[in-house]
Amino acid sequence: MKKHNQQEIDRRRTFGIISHPDAGKTTLTEKLLLFGGAIQMAGAVKARKASRHATSDWMTMERERGISVTSSVMKFNYRDYEVNLLDTPGHQDFSEDTYRVLTAVDSALMVIDSGKGVETQTEKLMEVCRMRNTPIMTFINKLDREGLDPLDLLSNIEETLQIECAPLSWPIGMGKCFRGTYNLYRKQLHLFVPGQETRFSDGIVIEDLADPRLDELLGSQAAELRNDIELLEGAASPFDPAEYLKGNQTPVFFGSAVNNFGVQELLDAFVEQAPGPGPRATATRMVSPYEEEFSGFVFKIQANMDPAHRDRIAFLRICSGKFRRGMKVRHHRIGKDVQIANATIFMAQDRTNIEEAWPGDIIGIHNHGTIKIGDTFSDKEPLKFTGIPSFAPEHFRRVRLKNPMKTKQLDKGLLQLAEEGAVQLFRPLMSSDYILGAVGVLQFDVIVARLKDEYGVDALYEGIEFATARWVSCADQKKFNEFEKKNQGNLALDAEGNLAFLAPSEWRLGYVIEQWPDIVFHKTKEHS
Ligand code: G4P
């Protein structure tokens, strides 16, 4: 590959932020975009934040998304780097979407509230990162408030998330006594001025902590800092870039997102240390980003980004080669060549058509109902990127139509929404019911609202006796047929035609698993 192309690829940073709601993800996103010049004013991202409490607000926000607010992918430049920040839904009911977004990143930023330490949602998202050994950088937020002791926070992360911490900055006091941070990576002191939202600030270089300037600047807290650093040298691991890249160690920064404090330090270390686009697994081989041939996969489909056009955008992560506007690519699942006449990139509040894009970039392509999550597009070679999962649903509803004449629209609507990954659709072998499965219950409300809005279908839900599901497979066809025959009442096909076992309880599932040792029960499913 030509030198120029390699440089284009190597300067890309594609990442997502993982955190528990309220830790400060939205605030941090906003500050990062400010540094990148992608937004001019604080408040722009905040305005789009979906309410975590009311679905109706969530829907309104989604609808408004296209006109006034930012999109799911935010691209910005910082220094010589092209950064793609992928947004992840904050509400845990939409965590399946988050999991899939995480398959398209090269690294992640983890935000932790210093008052709370590691919380449940972060733990779950971390598990997903671990599946792919995604490198993670950590930002401990809200140091302007009283929180847990910094050393305790590090132990908390190490113990709960089983990842080694390497602090790259260290806080000086907290809450009312928060004076700033000492950057161990740059050997610079950053003094905290509350409420100051300066975009760029240089630290004061203090190479040696014995420097008397430290006492002048920090008073009695200088001794505290010296003590802490001494303690740290014995207790914490030094930063090891190789261990970070393997996902074994997380560099840690402290700061206050709302005060824009510590954010620039974080961003500087992030662009320097975080990995650029790496090789990606397909069903047949690893694909290097430096290969000439274009390839990419769809990890998200978003409807109604622009309500005026009722469009559906498929987000494609480029994995290799260069994208050129108007290029013909093969859509492998349907076996057709398609021309991508218009591809969009998203710059916080704007979207623009692009002429070219590189591995690591996310492009939005118009979806007229033919693209599904997990689809691969490439030049010629029939590749299929792997690792884009569906998770076994934990909530179920039976859908009923208010007007039985609308069956066709319901069919179409549910199928499309399932392809988008908004919900999972099951058709029982023994009935003509529509059964929806979701990882979070709010998904159901969204589906009913969207069926009405987009397909003109009035639907309602009935509770159903199922509590859990597993996709099933078996190497021995005879045994599989026997299993199918004996369990017809609990079997259903999903939207892709895969057989799933729906169980009324975990206990019942466990029992059936024991009874049928040759059948494999899968908790996750790859998109086919
Ligand atoms: P999220 O996206 O992770 O859910 O969190 P978000 O950024 O919305 O932040 C959650 C709350 O924490 C917000 O307060 C936000 O202002 C506050 N916050 C974020 N960073 C800091 C920080 O560094 N220090 C302090 N003290 N607070 C911080 P809110 O009351 O929910 O919203 P708002 O009305 O203040 O915007």
Side-chain angles (χ1 to χ4, degrees):
M1 173 158 263
K2 280 180 253 142
K3 190 92 188 135
H4 167 69
N5 294 3
Q6 184 168 343
Q7 271 171 5
E8 280 296 342
I9 297 166
D10 291 346
R11 71 193 188 94
R12 269 154 171 88
R13 298 288 178 269
T14 303
F15 77 108
I17 301 183
I18 59 172
S19 68
H20 191 85
D22 263 349
K25 183 179 71 139
T26 314
T27 312
L28 181 65
T29 301
E30 186 159 286
K31 304 302 176 198
L32 292 173
L33 293 178
L34 276 170
F35 278 112
I39 53 172
Q40 302 309 318
M41 218 177 38
V45 178
K46 197 85 196 163
R48 67 165 289 217
K49 188 175 166 181
S51 162
R52 287 187 290 275
H53 310 295
T55 320
S56 55
D57 287 3
W58 185 85
M59 291 298 295
T60 316
M61 292 303 297
E62 283 294 290
R63 272 191 222 120
E64 283 171 0
R65 199 191 274 265
I67 359 172
S68 57
V69 283
T70 55
S71 88
S72 326
V73 183
M74 292 160 266
K75 193 176 174 63
F76 62 91
N77 296 95
Y78 182 71
R79 294 174 26 192
D80 287 336
Y81 299 90
E82 293 261 345
V83 185
N84 292 294
L85 168 51
L86 274 57
D87 191 24
T88 49
H91 197 293
Q92 59 174 13
D93 277 14
F94 302 103
S95 52
E96 205 181 350
D97 201 25
T98 304
Y99 300 153
R100 284 190 297 250
V101 169
L102 290 175
T103 63
V105 303
D106 297 306
S107 71
L109 249 179
M110 173 162 76
V111 184
I112 286 180
D113 184 332
S114 67
K116 300 201 173 131
V118 176
E119 295 173 87
T120 49
Q121 185 69 359
T122 316
E123 264 182 79
K124 281 194 193 160
L125 293 169
M126 178 73 185
E127 273 173 37
V128 179
C129 290
R130 187 157 281 132
M131 285 179 201
R132 301 179 53 242
N133 298 325
T134 308
I136 294 173
M137 206 169 265
T138 300
F139 184 71
I140 299 186
N141 191 25
K142 307 196 187 180
L143 263 291
D144 59 319
R145 280 197 193 157
E146 288 301 324
L148 304 171
D149 176 80
L151 271 176
D152 290 345
L153 279 164
L154 296 191
S155 328
N156 172 244
I157 296 172
E158 294 200 332
E159 278 160 29
T160 330
L161 303 178
Q162 299 295 309
I163 189 165
E164 196 176 82
C165 289
L168 290 187
S169 84
W170 197 251
I172 304 156
M174 67 169 79
K176 284 199 186 77
C177 300
F178 184 49
R179 295 299 307 279
T181 52
Y182 183 70
N183 187 327
L184 299 151
Y185 172 68
R186 289 246 166 93
K187 302 207 179 302
Q188 286 180 357
L189 181 70
H190 292 265
L191 290 176
F192 175 63
V193 187
Q196 188 176 316
E197 290 219 6
T198 45
R199 268 176 56 182
F200 298 97
S201 65
D202 287 328
I204 305 161
V205 181
I206 296 191
E207 293 273 351
D208 181 358
L209 286 174
D211 191 328
R213 275 189 303 157
L214 207 60
D215 301 276
E216 282 164 36
L217 292 161
L218 297 175
S220 62
Q221 282 179 283
E224 219 177 280
L225 174 67
R226 289 187 185 111
N227 259 343
D228 279 357
I229 304 286
E230 207 180 296
L231 247 174
L232 211 56
E233 271 161 11
S237 322
F239 174 51
D240 180 341
E243 287 301 300
Y244 158 61
L245 292 176
K246 279 192 247 166
N248 294 333
Q249 189 189 69
T250 179
V252 180
F253 286 87
F254 290 84
S256 168
V258 80
N259 289 293
N260 206 357
F261 188 80
V263 178
Q264 192 187 354
E265 283 178 82
L266 172 77
L267 184 55
D268 278 324
F270 174 78
V271 292
E272 287 165 22
Q273 299 294 339
R280 297 243 150 198
T282 69
T284 40
R285 66 181 183 88
M286 292 300 281
V287 170
S288 158
Y290 305 116
E291 291 179 22
E292 289 285 349
E293 294 219 340
F294 172 86
S295 69
F297 66 90
V298 172
F299 63 94
K300 183 182 173 87
I301 293 174
Q302 194 172 339
N304 292 335
M305 288 197 46
D306 183 349
H309 295 102
R310 288 185 35 139
D311 58 351
R312 302 210 298 164
I313 300 278
F315 288 92
L316 179 136
R317 144 105 201 195
I318 302 179
C319 298
S320 68
K322 176 181 173 180
F323 171 81
R324 287 174 213 86
R325 180 190 166 111
M327 84 189 290
K328 261 213 171 116
V329 292
R330 189 130 185 103
H331 184 182
H332 286 287
R333 186 177 48 80
I334 60 171
K336 276 193 180 149
D337 287 334
V338 289
Q339 189 182 25
I340 305 184
N342 282 314
T344 313
I345 53 159
F346 301 86
M347 321 271 293
Q349 286 145 309
D350 298 317
R351 39 161 138 172
T352 42
N353 281 334
I354 39 145
E355 295 300 322
E356 56 179 51
W358 303 90
D361 284 340
I362 310 296
I363 55 173
I365 50 184
H366 283 276
N367 178 17
H368 303 290
T370 48
I371 306 176
K372 287 205 301 192
I373 285 182
D375 280 359
T376 299
F377 289 82
S378 63
D379 269 347
K380 288 176 205 77
E381 191 185 336
L383 295 168
K384 169 81 189 110
F385 285 99
T386 55
I388 304 129
S390 273
F391 291 80
E394 288 158 24
H395 306 277
F396 297 85
R397 297 281 188 277
R398 182 187 282 121
V399 184
R400 281 267 179 264
L401 271 176
K402 283 191 191 157
N403 173 0
M405 302 298 285
K406 296 263 186 170
T407 311
K408 240 175 141 176
Q409 285 92 323
L410 179 71
D411 221 57
K412 182 176 170 207
L414 287 178
L415 204 64
Q416 287 195 348
L417 293 169
E419 284 177 359
E420 234 177 67
V423 79
Q424 293 182 39
L425 173 65
F426 295 96
R427 306 300 309 267
L429 297 186
M430 302 282 280
S431 74
S432 56
D433 283 350
Y434 295 90
I435 293 177
L436 298 189
V439 174
V441 286
L442 271 185
Q443 286 176 255
F444 293 128
D445 297 357
V446 171
I447 295 301
V448 153
R450 288 190 54 190
L451 279 173
K452 191 166 170 52
D453 263 20
E454 295 164 38
Y455 301 91
V457 174
D458 262 321
L460 46 89
Y461 291 125
E462 286 174 357
I464 192 159
E465 62 280 13
F466 300 127
T468 185
R470 293 290 183 274
W471 287 279
V472 284
S473 67
C474 181
D476 181 339
Q477 191 58 41
K478 220 173 117 210
K479 288 230 166 72
F480 202 45
N481 292 347
E482 195 188 331
F483 172 76
E484 208 177 312
K485 219 165 117 197
K486 293 262 167 62
N487 291 281
Q488 289 229 340
N490 289 78
L491 290 172
L493 292 172
D494 71 6
E496 289 175 343
N498 298 304
L499 201 61
F501 179 80
L502 309 183
S505 66
E506 284 290 338
W507 180 86
R508 175 79 194 159
L509 174 68
Y511 178 77
V512 175
I513 292 175
E514 237 173 63
Q515 294 291 303
W516 297 89
D518 298 304
I519 308 293
V520 190
F521 293 79
H522 307 265
K523 212 172 172 177
T524 59
K525 182 198 69 170
E526 285 268 323
H527 283 268
S528 55

